Amino acid sequence: MKSSLLAFVLLALASSFASAFDPSPLQDFCVAIDEPKNAVFVNGKFCKDPKLAKAGDFYFSVKMPGDTNNPVGSNVSAVNVDKIPGLNTLGISAARIDFAPYGQNPPHTHPRATEILVVLEGTLLVGFVTSNPNNTLISKVLNKGDVFVFPIGLIHFQFNIGKTNALAFAGLSSQNPGVITIADAVFGSNPPINPDFLAKAFMLDVKVVKDLQAKF
């Protein structure tokens, strides 16, 4: 009886882990296509007929720096399934992140992916915060060639602490990892969250909350 129960629990855990990430493909590739013409229905998605696939379905260039002339001083060039249709069902994507001096990729989370970051130029202060109740900050200064991992779903950030531009590339464990920038979500939601509620949640004056909402 105990062995049967243990087997059931292990199976349930395995199933939950398997469903937490992009499903494994059941074919070599499945190039995403917007309309079913010249497509086949595979693994629950419309895909281009594999015989019609071409190199462009698996290619995108991020050789040009992103524009960092913005309030946060950074630019994220996402390379996901929207940019490379051939990523569909493959469970992976990437991003180029450019930083101006003292620019930052502000606190955010990827609800569907773990991220691994490699610094190519500059010096970055990076970190993530663990979940409740500990809310522990795990952070480190990274230099050229250093690599850091941000676990799936946790709030994390990158900050260029150098006087020169910085460049990093990230790999993510989903073809469409999603991103939730904390400040944008909290103070820039549409429609806005009741400022009285946010004032109490953040222990701020309502006027401060309204001022923050106006900025987003």
Side-chain angles (χ1 to χ4, degrees), residues 1 9 23-24 27 57 70 72 82 94 105 116 131 145 154 163 166 180 182 190 209 213:
M1 180 66 179
V9 171
S24 298
Q27 66 286 329
D57 295 325
N70 55 61
V72 296
D82 294 328
N105 190 10
I116 184 166
S131 55
L154 297 186
K163 299 179 180 180
I180 301 171
I182 307 306
N190 185 23
V209 172
Q213 289 179 318

Side-chain angles (χ1 to χ4, degrees), residues 13-155:
L13 286 173
S15 298
S16 66
F17 292 151
S19 62
F21 302 94
D22 291 354
S24 298
L26 301 179
Q27 66 286 329
D28 288 342
F29 52 81
C30 173
V31 177
I33 192 168
D34 293 330
E35 46 82 26
K37 184 180 179 181
N38 295 324
V40 292
F41 197 70
V42 180
N43 216 18
K45 297 288 185 180
F46 275 114
C47 307
K48 178 183 288 187
D49 187 332
K51 296 177 182 177
L52 301 177
K54 56 186 184 301
D57 295 325
F58 303 91
Y59 169 82
F60 185 78
S61 177
V62 287
K63 62 183 177 182
M64 298 301 296
D67 183 8
T68 59
N69 185 24
N70 55 61
V72 296
S74 72
N75 186 283
V76 179
S77 301
V79 186
N80 53 30
V81 69
D82 294 328
K83 300 294 177 58
I84 301 181
L87 282 176
N88 190 41
T89 75
L90 298 185
I92 192 171
S93 61
R96 171 182 175 139
I97 312 171
D98 291 279
F99 299 87
Y102 306 112
Q104 63 173 283
N105 190 10
H108 62 282
T109 179
H110 302 293
R112 295 181 291 275
T114 290
E115 175 181 346
I116 184 166
L117 182 91
V118 57
V119 178
L120 299 185
E121 297 177 12
T123 302
L124 299 179
L125 171 64
V126 306
F128 63 86
V129 179
T130 64
S131 55
N132 298 351
N134 294 329
N135 302 125
T136 303
L137 172 63
I138 308 292
S139 66
K140 187 171 179 60
V141 173
L142 305 182
N143 295 296
K144 182 178 179 179
D146 289 342
V147 180
F148 198 81
V149 173
F150 306 100
I152 184 171
L154 297 186
I155 295 173

